[in-house]
Amino acid sequence: FILVDSAGQSQCNGDLLLYWGSVEESGLTLFMAVAQGIDWQVALKPLWGVSYFSVGALLMFVSITILLILNVVTGVFCNTAMESASRDKEVAARNLAATRTFQAKQLKEVFQQMDNLDLNAISIEDLDIAMESTELQHFLESMGISTNDIWTLFLLLDVEEKGVIEIDAFVQGCIGMYGTARSMQMAKVSYENTLL
């Protein structure tokens, strides 16, 4: 909206020409208003003399552009956070699987040390003798398995009630009780409930 006199000279505000004088300058002004190159109020002031529509158009452009940019940035941030959380779950699951595999290997070695007769089964006596070793006590306690009550530990591991514990039952039973002392207490309560 530029007025030109008969001599070809523009008759409008200098700021209007500076910011809105051509399509290229208008595009640059819009970009600078959104990108904080200039305060968008400076670009808005010359438009008041032109029309309310042009003022509204600039306000709408700045508002929509800023909202779009904020939404895209927020979306990217949220997506990155969700991917990171997903990777953390995968890493935690892999670490847990590796820990369980390591524990199973260690428990099999402990079982073989207790199985003096190579029967692939241990009795309460074998477990009692093995518990005299502080190494085994420390290992089981590091898994959160209480070694204070050998009889209860044996009953919990002898799920088939054969009077002996086989290697698989020993490994799975110990891994099942892995955790805090409450894990063994919960297993004990569960066992007692099956007897009732």
Side-chain angles (χ1 to χ4, degrees):
F1 192 82
I2 300 174
L3 299 175
V4 178
D5 64 11
S6 60
Q9 299 292 322
S10 65
Q11 298 178 344
C12 61
N13 183 335
D15 286 342
L16 185 62
L17 279 178
L18 176 65
Y19 296 116
W20 306 104
S22 68
V23 173
E24 294 84 10
E25 289 169 349
S26 297
L28 180 62
T29 300
L30 290 173
F31 172 74
M32 289 173 43
V34 172
Q36 301 299 316
I38 60 168
D39 185 5
W40 58 271
Q41 186 178 8
V42 172
L44 180 71
K45 216 177 233 185
L47 293 179
W48 281 109
V50 175
S51 73
Y52 291 120
F53 176 76
S54 58
V55 170
L58 177 62
L59 292 174
M60 186 76 82
F61 174 80
V62 170
S63 299
I64 289 173
T65 305
I66 288 174
L67 287 176
L68 286 176
I69 289 172
L70 288 176
N71 281 337
V72 168
V73 168
T74 303
V76 168
F77 174 77
C78 289
N79 189 39
T80 303
M82 289 182 350
E83 286 176 1
S84 177
S86 175
R87 280 190 298 251
D88 288 346
K89 289 176 189 173
E90 291 170 8
V91 169
R94 270 190 254 125
N95 288 344
L96 181 60
T99 300
R100 294 278 167 99
T101 302
F102 175 76
Q103 287 173 339
K105 180 182 173 200
Q106 295 293 319
L107 286 166
K108 285 178 183 178
E109 290 175 8
V110 165
F111 184 88
Q112 290 167 350
Q113 290 174 1
M114 289 189 287
D115 183 19
N116 295 327
L117 302 175
D118 290 331
L119 301 174
N120 285 329
I122 57 170
S123 65
I124 184 73
E125 292 82 18
D126 295 329
L127 186 60
D128 192 27
I129 292 168
M131 284 300 171
E132 292 174 5
S133 162
T134 57
E135 181 182 333
L136 177 61
Q137 286 180 4
H138 292 313
F139 177 72
L140 291 176
E141 288 176 1
S142 73
M143 292 183 64
I145 300 172
S146 174
T147 58
N148 294 334
D149 188 356
I150 304 293
W151 180 250
T152 302
L153 178 61
F154 184 82
L155 289 176
L156 292 173
L157 295 175
D158 184 20
V159 291
E160 295 178 3
E161 298 180 0
K162 294 180 180 178
V164 293
I165 305 169
E166 295 175 350
I167 188 167
D168 291 333
F170 178 78
V171 171
Q172 293 304 318
C174 287
I175 288 177
M177 289 186 273
Y178 175 69
T180 61
R182 290 178 290 183
S183 297
M184 183 160 177
Q185 293 168 351
M186 291 302 292
K188 183 178 179 181
V189 168
S190 175
Y191 175 76
E192 289 171 354
N193 285 337
T194 59
L195 292 178
L196 297 176

